[in-house]
């Protein structure tokens, strides 16, 4: 059973400057609540019971978001038990029961972030979510957990992207499996158009095997000097571990770029 999730949050957020010079991108509001809350809600609805939030010292404000009890207590008292305030505080406390904070003080990539949880993951597989990638209208994590049960395999979310955009994503080499699912034969982190084996991109939802930690421990840094989860997955695929790509049904919003963030605000307001 998949009950644990990892969410790497230690990235610098340079694509969202100047906003991220004062606020982590994951706390930027999308129609009244931080992007991170949408991701946490997805986890809760998918049955996740423990969520590791990987932050850095510079992003401690994310922890503060969940631990501002004195502030809430004072303001609730001053506003004479205002219902809305009590609701917000209880929501935060519910999330807090699920989240644990893990530190990654230098942003060395998603693979390095995941490795920080090596001793914390109990079962054979765990969920990882990239907070830039919001998926609405259909719970992608839940669909992937079901698929994992069916095939007893690692699963990665996928979406077709424009051929001209392949160098923005991890790209899969695929083999047909069933409607909306394919076997992953290979994956390359941000390839050139020439080297891209398809236009099926990696989207930030992964069900990964615990044995990825062993691979990550030995992995050398890749593109831009970072330890990429994609490279560790590639090693596992080459070692004949089964990975399935799942073309998810929901509406995808890329909140890691300013354009995407603006788009997300518009789209969420229509929901
Ligand atoms: C990361 C992954 C990439 C994936 C993308 C999805 O890239 O490294 O393989 O396609 O997320 O959003 P990043 O957005 O951190 O550049």
């Amino acid at each position: 059973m998949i009950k644990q999730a990892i969410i790497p949050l230690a990235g610098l957020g340079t694509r969202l400057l100047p906003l991220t010079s004062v606020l982590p991108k994951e706390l930027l509001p999308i129609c009244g609540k931080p992007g991170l809350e949408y991701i946490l809600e997805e986890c809760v609805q998918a049955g996740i019971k423990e969520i590791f939030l990987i932050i850095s010292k510079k992003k401690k404000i994310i922890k503060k978001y969940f631990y501002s009890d004195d502030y809430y207590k004072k303001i609730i008292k001053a506003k004479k038990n205002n219902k809305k305030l009590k609701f917000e505080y209880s929501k935060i406390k519910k999330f807090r029961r699920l989240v644990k904070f893990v530190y990654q003080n230098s942003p060395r990539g998603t693979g390095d972030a995941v490795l920080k949880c090596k001793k914390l993951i109990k079962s054979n597989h765990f969920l990882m979510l990239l907070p830039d990638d919001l998926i609405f209208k259909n719970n992608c994590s839940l669909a992937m957990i079901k698929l994992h049960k069916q095939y007893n395999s690692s699963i990665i979310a996928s979406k077709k992207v424009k051929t001209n955009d392949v160098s923005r994503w991890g790209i899969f080499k695929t083999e047909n499996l069933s409607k909306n699912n394919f076997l992953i034969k290979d994956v390359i982190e941000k390839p050139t158009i020439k080297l891209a084996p398809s236009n099926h991109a990696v989207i930030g939802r992964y069900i990964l095997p615990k044995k990825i930690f062993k691979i990550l421990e030995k992995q050398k840094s890749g593109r831009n000097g970072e330890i990429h989860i994609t490279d560790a997955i590639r090693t596992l695929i080459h070692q004949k571990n089964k990975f399935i790509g799942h073309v998810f049904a929901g509406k995808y919003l890329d909140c890691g770029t300013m354009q995407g963030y603006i788009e997300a605000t518009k789209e969420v307001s229509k929901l």
Side-chain angles (χ1 to χ4, degrees):
M1 286 294 266
I2 295 184
K3 295 286 168 205
Q4 292 179 300
I6 298 177
I7 308 179
L9 300 164
L12 299 175
T14 41
R15 288 179 294 207
L16 283 167
L17 280 169
L19 303 179
T20 44
S21 62
V22 290
L23 201 64
K25 60 181 173 183
E26 300 81 7
L27 292 185
L28 291 174
I30 299 171
C31 291
K33 58 184 177 186
L36 179 58
E37 278 197 29
Y38 294 97
I39 300 275
L40 294 178
E41 281 167 5
E42 180 177 329
C43 287
V44 172
Q45 284 159 13
I48 297 295
K49 301 288 179 216
E50 194 174 30
I51 304 170
F52 300 109
L53 299 182
I54 324 254
I55 59 169
S56 65
K57 275 185 197 153
K58 285 185 195 145
K59 293 176 91 172
K60 267 191 173 164
I61 194 168
I62 296 179
K63 186 167 181 186
K64 195 174 169 208
Y65 186 76
F66 297 95
Y67 283 89
S68 289
D69 298 68
D70 286 350
Y71 176 79
Y72 276 109
K73 281 177 191 159
K74 261 186 217 155
I75 198 128
I76 287 169
K77 202 174 165 194
K79 300 278 179 193
K80 300 196 169 54
N81 283 322
N82 176 296
K83 265 192 189 157
K84 169 90 173 101
L85 290 178
K86 279 170 92 177
F87 170 77
E88 291 298 339
Y89 184 36
S90 70
K91 183 183 73 178
I92 292 290
K93 282 196 289 188
K94 265 187 209 153
F95 282 139
R96 195 166 71 194
R97 277 182 224 126
L98 303 174
V99 299
K100 295 210 167 76
F101 291 87
V102 174
Y103 284 84
Q104 181 198 25
N105 284 325
S106 40
R108 295 190 57 223
T110 40
D112 181 63
V114 168
L115 189 54
K116 302 281 178 216
C117 298
K118 191 181 85 178
K119 295 202 174 121
L120 302 166
I121 296 296
K122 292 177 201 127
S123 55
N124 282 335
H125 287 83
F126 62 92
L127 176 68
M128 178 179 71
L129 305 95
L130 299 184
D132 285 357
D133 293 343
L134 295 189
I135 302 170
F136 291 99
K137 293 186 182 167
N138 202 292
N139 190 319
C140 182
S141 296
L142 185 62
M144 286 171 58
I145 289 172
K146 278 189 191 154
L147 207 59
H148 163 76
K149 275 188 207 151
Q150 188 185 344
Y151 287 99
N152 190 25
S153 159
S154 300
I155 317 279
I156 305 178
S158 181
K159 171 185 181 303
K160 270 195 175 181
V161 295
K162 290 188 190 126
T163 310
N164 279 338
D165 293 343
V166 284
S167 61
R168 151 81 185 88
W169 316 90
I171 298 290
F172 295 120
K173 183 176 175 189
T174 68
E175 188 181 292
N176 279 348
L177 178 67
S178 61
K179 193 173 176 267
N180 299 329
N181 302 306
F182 53 82
L183 282 176
I184 302 173
K185 304 306 281 180
D186 202 356
V187 61
I188 307 174
E189 181 66 10
K190 305 196 168 100
T192 57
I193 298 181
K194 246 188 170 175
L195 290 180
S198 76
N199 61 345
H200 281 283
V202 174
I203 299 298
R205 301 289 184 277
Y206 308 71
I207 291 178
L208 297 171
K210 205 179 177 176
K211 59 170 126 163
I212 202 162
F213 293 119
K214 281 228 165 77
I215 309 287
L216 285 167
E217 273 171 333
K218 291 191 202 136
Q219 189 174 302
K220 297 203 178 84
S221 42
R223 238 178 154 272
N224 297 332
E226 289 183 15
I227 309 278
H228 292 284
I229 199 72
T230 313
D231 295 339
I233 292 168
R234 188 168 206 213
T235 306
L236 286 172
I237 293 167
H238 291 181
Q239 291 175 356
K240 306 273 175 253
N241 291 282
K242 192 172 175 186
F243 275 76
I244 291 175
H246 172 60
V247 183
F248 55 90
K251 167 92 184 155
Y252 169 67
L253 297 163
D254 176 10
C255 291
T257 63
M258 190 58 87
Q259 194 50 44
Y261 174 61
I262 294 166
E263 206 56 39
T265 312
K266 280 198 245 162
E267 285 293 330
V268 177
S269 71
K270 288 187 221 155
L271 293 176

